[in-house]
Amino acid sequence: MTDNIKLAELLFGHITKTPEEYEEMYKDRGLKEGARVTRFAPSPTGFLHIGGLFAAMCSKLSATTTGGVFFLRIEDTDKKREIEDGVSEIIKGLSAFGMTPEEGVVGFNEEKGSYGPYQQSKRKDIYQCFAKELVKKGFAYPCFCSEEELNAIRAEQEEKNLDDKGYYGEYARCRDLSFEEIEENIKAGKGYVLRLRSPGNKENRITFEDVIKGKIEMPENIQDVVLLKTDGIPTYHFAHAVDDHLMRTTHIVRGDEWISSVPVHIQLFKCCGFKVPKFSHISPIMKEENGGKRKLSKRKDPEAAVTFYFDEGYPKESVIEYLLTIANSNFEDWRKANPTADTSAFPFNLKKMSASGALFDLVKLVDVSKNVISVMTAEEVLEKTLLWAEEKDEELYNLFNADKEYAQGILSIDRGGNKPRKDISKWSDIKPYVEYFYDEIYTPDYTMPENVSPEDAKAILETYKNTYNASDDKDMWFSRIKDMCEGLGFTPNVKEYKKNPDAFKGHVGDVSTVIRIAMTSRRNTPDLYSIMQLLGEEKVMSRIDECINSL
Ligand code: GLU
């Protein structure tokens, strides 16, 4: 028996499965040529960053547009960072925006798919099996260095002002311990980490083709990075290599903070005998500030958390629509050509992503969202508002729920057709938008425009009260308003007014504004005729009276 095999048995005697058995268990997926297998692999820190959702979306679309598979893996090897409910938060966050994975972790302690477990904390034996294999091949060794010894190495390197600091080459003290020395240390109960025996050479460079960033060249890795920590739990580097191999990931789509680790990763894949997957590194989402750009920050920006969008009531469709506009620059043209198509029909392409960071702009999101909501049916708007309000606005929920037909009627005004109104960007806009339909939440404000005196406003309303007929159709309704004008010193003809403004108190627009204010306290609303139809004759009359009394 060679020393490496003896060492593998000494360290991992309890591991009986072989890599071949795992290869057999997790067979090639047999997908069609070009189908991509991608994943989202967050740590369950209990916070889903909008950048995380963005990465998950790009990852998922890149799988679904190629007929592949997108799965969710939970990277919970770092217990210090984990918080309770972190997994549920992520799953909830993804599903709230339609980014539910078809495979992987789908609930608390719940998984779907044949390539699991999908939670790293449940894969210890798998990692150790591959670690054992690396020891056998001479690519890994136990390191007994204490914190102090590692600090001393670093201090020495700093003193010598070395370009390369860390645990490598001659500084890797435990690299060449004999089997006997190792055995002795272990018998003495000394703790150890397992390190890679890096076959890298400082003079060599590696190149790889990043799908998003293009060709990248970097020095080969020479560091003997840690593969397993003292408790036998793997580091991210090692765990993700084993996982992405066994889960048959074809494209690693992740944040570009990992680019600097690619040389370690490529080396690890190779030492393990795995095919190196394709890398797609996404730049962070940026925010403009004081003329400069910075990363969207969890600490400073409320909009960095995906919960912000749900809390404010942005529909998931709007958030995704917006993220697509910053993901692929051809999305907006596609949308113009396909105004009503579902976003899932968009031919998303990782290659079309910006290699520098996409700029996040809430004002643009609001615009996008107004468009998205404007083409929804009233029924859809009602249903989605109810879902949101059930959690976020009990008062609105109760009002809408008490009479859904009335609510749907309100939401139908100026909806549909070629030019739908675009005044709602989020569900939290709806309450102020509909408040005058509900006495329970409506506080009238009868402030009249400056160009109409209280006496004239009163006269307009008194006259209107006598002419209003709830059974009029829209044309008749408007004719009556026009017919009132002359007797009150106004003109029904706007052009005429513009030609000779001194001859009139105002025009028909001013007259209807007075009526509009009496009904809604607003100068600008959706179609007033429809509003009055919904309010009903009794309320129309009582509002006219109230307004007259207040003047
Ligand atoms: N757990 C890593 C992170 O949250 C995942 C990186 C990756 O996608 O490979 O950053």
Side-chain angles (χ1 to χ4, degrees), residues 351-366:
K351 281 207 170 92
K352 292 214 165 86
M353 291 191 72
S354 137
S356 54
L359 210 53
F360 193 82
D361 178 2
L362 265 180
V363 178
K364 180 86 197 274
L365 168 66
V366 165

Side-chain angles (χ1 to χ4, degrees), residues 39 41-43 75 236 253-254 257-258:
R39 81 294 191 284
S43 298
E75 305 211 325
Y236 164 71
V253 182
R254 64 184 173 192
E257 68 274 22
W258 294 108

Side-chain angles (χ1 to χ4, degrees), residues 51 110 199 475:
E110 216 185 309
D475 289 341

Side-chain angles (χ1 to χ4, degrees), residues 116-142:
Y118 296 89
Q119 199 164 337
Q120 290 186 329
S121 57
K122 297 180 178 155
R123 300 173 62 82
K124 193 171 169 182
D125 280 1
I126 304 180
Y127 303 124
Q128 296 205 346
C129 167
F130 285 87
K132 182 176 182 180
E133 190 65 14
L134 284 179
V135 174
K136 273 192 197 167
K137 293 200 255 176
F139 281 136
Y141 65 89

